[in-house]
Amino acid sequence: MSNIILIGFMGCGKTSVGKKLASRNKLLFVDTDALIENNSNQSIKDIFSHKGEAYFRELETATIKSLLDELDNAVISVGGGLPIKTGNGELLGQLGTVVFLDASLETINKRLKNDKDRPLFSNKDNKVEELYHFRKPIYTQYAHMIIQVDNMNIDDIIDDIEKQLIIKSRER
Ligand code: S3P
């Protein structure tokens, strides 16, 4: 399949990059968090607090499976924890080219310091740091392409993705 899937830690820019990458290339843009919120008529924050994280993770897996049947030529941004659950990385690989937007913890902390919508992001303890270091090798494992995004603006990131996609399509 020829979708482009953006993965990476909370705050790395998946949604903003994905939206612009899609509009620049006249592709459909899909965000798994937005899909889950629309389908369940609840915010992610409410799903976490009423039904718990494990339930949210089931919704994420079901969402990715449904996209496998439905989508081609789309840009898909997935929640930061989606690639972590066993089996999901492989599903993403079946869906298309997986692009890891790699931001440093410093960049992420700067961007999300006032965020109130992400249940797993809290500056109060070391949890975010632990999560970051646990997840990074998993993102790397499933990525076909890794883009360093620190100090890069959205257009530079998209230029980089497009350049690497062209190189990859020539290699095939
Ligand atoms: C999560 C990331 C969030 C959202 C949820 C859980 C995570 O998406 O799916 O709050 O586990 O990293 P973003 O990566 O778009 O912030």
Side-chain angles (χ1 to χ4, degrees):
M1 288 209 196
S2 52
N3 300 295
I4 301 164
I5 302 104
L6 301 178
I7 66 169
F9 205 73
M10 294 171 264
C12 70
K14 296 171 298 254
T15 305
S16 9
V17 169
K19 272 186 189 156
K20 200 157 184 191
L21 174 65
S23 79
R24 245 166 72 161
N25 291 280
K26 301 195 169 48
L27 301 172
L28 179 71
F29 173 69
V30 174
D31 180 299
T32 57
D33 283 342
L35 264 187
I36 290 171
E37 288 185 326
N38 286 342
N39 290 342
S40 59
N41 235 338
Q42 262 188 320
S43 68
I44 304 279
K45 208 174 158 184
D46 285 344
I47 299 174
F48 265 74
S49 66
H50 298 145
K51 303 258 176 76
E53 180 176 351
Y55 178 79
F56 174 71
R57 299 300 173 199
E58 294 302 327
L59 293 182
E60 286 192 312
T61 302
T63 304
I64 281 299
K65 284 185 177 159
S66 72
L67 294 183
L68 267 173
D69 300 327
E70 289 167 14
L71 279 189
D72 208 7
N73 277 318
V75 177
I76 306 163
S77 154
V78 308
L82 188 146
I84 310 306
K85 186 158 159 255
T86 308
N88 284 359
E90 286 76 8
L91 291 175
L92 293 178
Q94 289 172 34
L95 205 52
T97 305
V98 179
V99 180
F100 168 28
L101 301 185
D102 186 9
S104 68
L105 195 52
E106 198 189 345
T107 298
I108 284 160
N109 279 326
K110 240 188 263 165
R111 288 192 192 159
L112 296 187
K113 65 175 186 282
N114 296 320
D115 188 89
K116 302 262 183 298
D117 296 325
R118 290 175 171 87
L120 295 185
F121 194 89
S122 142
N123 280 321
K124 289 182 203 73
D125 48 31
N126 293 328
K127 284 273 171 336
V128 171
E129 197 175 333
E130 244 173 61
L131 205 58
Y132 179 88
H133 292 297
F134 172 72
R135 287 178 174 184
K136 189 163 167 156
I138 302 174
Y139 296 139
T140 306
Q141 179 187 346
Y142 291 109
H144 299 113
M145 193 189 291
I146 300 175
I147 310 282
Q148 303 295 334
V149 299
D150 294 316
N151 305 316
M152 295 246 284
N153 66 39
I154 294 187
D155 285 307
D156 291 341
I157 296 169
I158 293 172
D159 287 345
D160 209 354
I161 295 174
E162 289 174 351
K163 226 182 288 161
Q164 292 204 42
L165 282 171
I166 292 167
I167 294 169
K168 280 201 175 297
S169 71
R170 285 199 192 119
E171 286 168 358
R172 278 187 196 128

